[in-house]
Amino acid sequence: MTTCIVMGSQWGDEGKGKVVDLLARGADVVVRFQGGANAGHTIWHGQRKVVLHQLPSGVLTPGCLNLVGNGSVVDPERLVEELAELAAIGVRPGPDALAVSSLAHLVTPIHKWVDGLAGGHIGTTGRGIGFAYADKARRVGVRAGALLDGTLATAIAQQLEQHQPWLDAHDPGAGPELLRRIELFTRACDQLRPFVRDIRPELHDALQAGSNVLYEGAQGALLDLDHGTYPFVTSSSTAIGGALTGTGVYTPFEHRFAVVKAYTTRVGNGPFPTELHGPIGEDLRARGHEYGATTGRPRRCGWLDLHLLREAARTSGYSGIALTKLDCLSGLPELRVATGRDADGQPVYATLPGWSEDILGAPSLEALPANARAYLDFITEQLGVPISILSTGPDRDQTLVLEAPW
Ligand code: IMP
């Protein structure tokens, strides 16, 4: 069997979409295990750009089975919209190609409403994610399985009852519009119903049969609910453990790829020790087109932080690095990389020389300028993890695959 898990290793937006897009082409099964419509993975269908938020990236691969695991939170309305967008380009996955775990929790209009009013302090995506996970934990969540056993209306009513005192205090006029949204939500649920089932047996069978199974992570290690920069985190387990609790089927992950952007970005609030506030940060944002795929927000930019990456590698046992956006650094006279922290907790930097050559689509590692290679060597030595995939441009063919899982 070949299992490959692709995880973000920073604060999300590392370029996972390109990596999973590449790997999904050879996958028999692609499974998502955490997160929801807060993610945004840009993949390509011919010359067309498709941004997937909740659907696994194998939906464009003929014959691929796409599973949404129980660790995800599913927004039925957005998922139905995503399916409609795919249908518009002639891609119509049926239940044989797409399944949503009956154990996955649904993001309801109540969650989105409350997130819109209360999620601002940490800068959430406003997609109701944290509130869906919170209701799951306080046992007033609605599972996708409610679409199968006729309990949806009761479950929603109970959830609304739980939120009512807060709504009355903070938004007393919400009632009629919220009820209208619940009505729309219920209609979307009808469309989702055919895709809902227990996905564990078929994932287990695929693993036993030795299929190529790709686990598609969302967000990044530093947004992990437990291991990230709490409270400025998302509400799911973005590190490797989430892939087991989020699917319910054990497998030893053979290839554990960390997607690492050649510098660091963050959207939303929270600590960012290597952040650049001045012109270099603005320059990086412009070079890397650093605006959120889901919300369009400008991303905060800074130097690569190996100290944090080392911690992420410890948590998830990375076997390889998929390094992205190396080309965005071309032309910078020198590059700084945080290697550790001083006694006050401030980053300690190493300074490496930059390169002026254009490296877009470099055909091999050997074709890279010596200083670019030195930058890569520095990263692998410091982390003790080899580079498995190197992306040197936005196009699919501007990628070097040094260690292919399949
Ligand atoms: P939430 O996931 O919408 O609850 O937002 C919690 C934090 O995670 C915020 O700082 C978001 O900006 C961040 N976040 C959530 N999803 C992503 C993502 O896909 N990329 C980058 N940041 C994300």
Side-chain angles (χ1 to χ4, degrees), residues 11-13 38-39 122-126 129-130 219 223 233-234 267-268 297:
W11 280 291
D13 306 319
N38 49 351
I122 75 145
T124 69
T125 57
I129 303 297
Q219 290 89 43
L223 289 170
V233 291
T234 192
V267 286
R297 290 181 288 179

